[in-house]
Amino acid sequence: MSRWLFLLFFLALPALAIDGQQILAKVDRNLEPESYEAYRKLIDIQPDGSKKEYVLYSMKKGRDRIVALFLSPASDKGRVTLRQEDNMWLYMPEVGRPIRITSLQSVTGSIFNNADILRIDYGAEYDVETAEEQKDAFLLSLKAKTGEVAYDKLKMWVDKQLLLPVTIEAYAASGLLLKTLHFKNVKDFGAGIKRPATIETDSPLYKGYKSVMLWSGLKKASFPDEIFTLNYLPRVQELRK
């Protein structure tokens, strides 16, 4: 009898395991629809308390394409950033052509880099190495799928009830902590979208600095493929006229 009990227990173990990849997929969809439009305000706070703000209109299609149009300040109005998988560009009307940018750069000069501002699905960039259950959260350890990803590893604490991130620590390949993202102020955007409206980030590399991202107007939307191409960048601002 004891042998059969042991066998039943052993066979039941896989069913009890945490499916980290499935949790990550739900996190992606809970954070935002696969295709959406939204407005975001980026606030960079200096050590002396002074602030600089940017307002962006963003459109995402699928898991790995996103474009963002700068609405303010006046000095940046009309600039457009585009991401196609791991490739990123910045279009400036005064230059008249797209310029390649990298994921670790920041078009705003903030702690939020281009990968944060042009974020695609986590599941498109990372594999789940380990998943463990804690008291109120799942802890996912994520590993970048390619060397082009901004962060080599992420530690993501996910609210067990809402399946939304609470905290994400981003690390370089050396193991250096680059920044910590804090997800706050869960808001109902309607149409089944309920997610943090505020993301704050700080970094041990930028002591005294903080950046905040505020989400508004997030909703499902459909767009033609041509919007997410280099040739369309000069025309993106026409979509809001």
Side-chain angles (χ1 to χ4, degrees), residues 186-225:
V186 174
K187 176 182 175 181
D188 190 342
F189 288 88
I193 306 171
K194 188 175 182 180
R195 59 150 292 158
T198 303
I199 304 174
E200 296 180 358
T201 184
D202 52 66
S203 169
L205 306 180
Y206 299 92
K207 292 185 179 179
Y209 292 82
K210 184 170 75 170
S211 293
V212 181
M213 183 183 298
L214 305 177
W215 286 73
S216 64
L218 174 62
K219 61 182 179 181
K220 298 177 182 179
S222 298
F223 305 101
D225 290 340

Side-chain angles (χ1 to χ4, degrees), residues 144-158:
K145 293 181 178 182
T146 72
E148 302 300 317
V149 179
Y151 312 116
D152 182 67
K153 290 186 178 182
L154 298 179
K155 287 185 178 180
M156 177 187 292
W157 283 263
V158 178

Side-chain angles (χ1 to χ4, degrees), residues 65-174:
R65 286 179 291 173
I66 183 171
V67 63
L69 169 67
F70 282 76
L71 304 179
S72 68
S75 58
D76 292 89
K77 186 175 181 179
R79 294 188 178 190
V80 185
T81 51
L82 168 68
R83 179 171 185 178
Q84 300 170 336
E85 297 180 341
D86 292 331
N87 301 303
M88 302 182 190
W89 292 269
L90 167 65
Y91 172 80
M92 296 183 290
E94 63 269 28
V95 176
R97 63 180 178 82
I99 301 170
R100 287 294 296 262
I101 55 177
T102 69
S103 59
L104 285 174
Q105 292 174 322
S106 175
V107 292
T108 64
S110 72
I111 302 178
F112 285 119
N113 58 30
N114 295 333
D116 300 320
I117 297 171
L118 298 172
R119 195 186 67 76
I120 58 176
D121 282 11
Y122 286 110
E125 291 189 289
Y126 295 93
D127 290 317
V128 179
E129 285 193 319
T130 63
E132 62 181 84
E133 185 173 4
Q134 300 183 340
K135 182 179 179 181
D136 299 315
F138 295 113
L139 173 55
L140 305 182
S141 295
L142 310 181
K143 171 68 175 176
K145 293 181 178 182
T146 72
E148 302 300 317
V149 179
Y151 312 116
D152 182 67
K153 290 186 178 182
L154 298 179
K155 287 185 178 180
M156 177 187 292
W157 283 263
V158 178
D159 184 286
K160 291 172 69 173
Q161 300 300 318
L162 300 176
L163 290 180
L164 288 167
V166 178
T167 305
I168 295 178
E169 293 179 348
Y171 293 86
S174 64

Side-chain angles (χ1 to χ4, degrees), residues 9-76:
F9 175 76
F10 180 80
L11 292 176
L13 283 178
L16 299 175
I18 300 171
D19 190 334
Q21 209 65 48
Q22 186 178 66
I23 292 173
L24 186 61
K26 290 181 177 179
V27 166
D28 278 328
R29 291 292 67 81
N30 288 343
L31 274 177
E32 57 202 34
E34 190 167 285
S35 294
Y36 72 83
E37 64 177 347
Y39 291 87
R40 290 178 291 166
K41 177 181 283 189
L42 304 181
I43 306 171
D44 295 328
I45 305 171
Q46 309 295 314
D48 62 4
S50 61
K51 299 178 181 179
K52 188 169 184 179
E53 299 184 359
Y54 303 83
V55 177
L56 291 76
Y57 170 65
S58 303
M59 296 168 284
K60 177 171 173 280
K61 183 169 186 176
R63 303 180 67 228
D64 54 14
R65 286 179 291 173
I66 183 171
V67 63
L69 169 67
F70 282 76
L71 304 179
S72 68
S75 58
D76 292 89

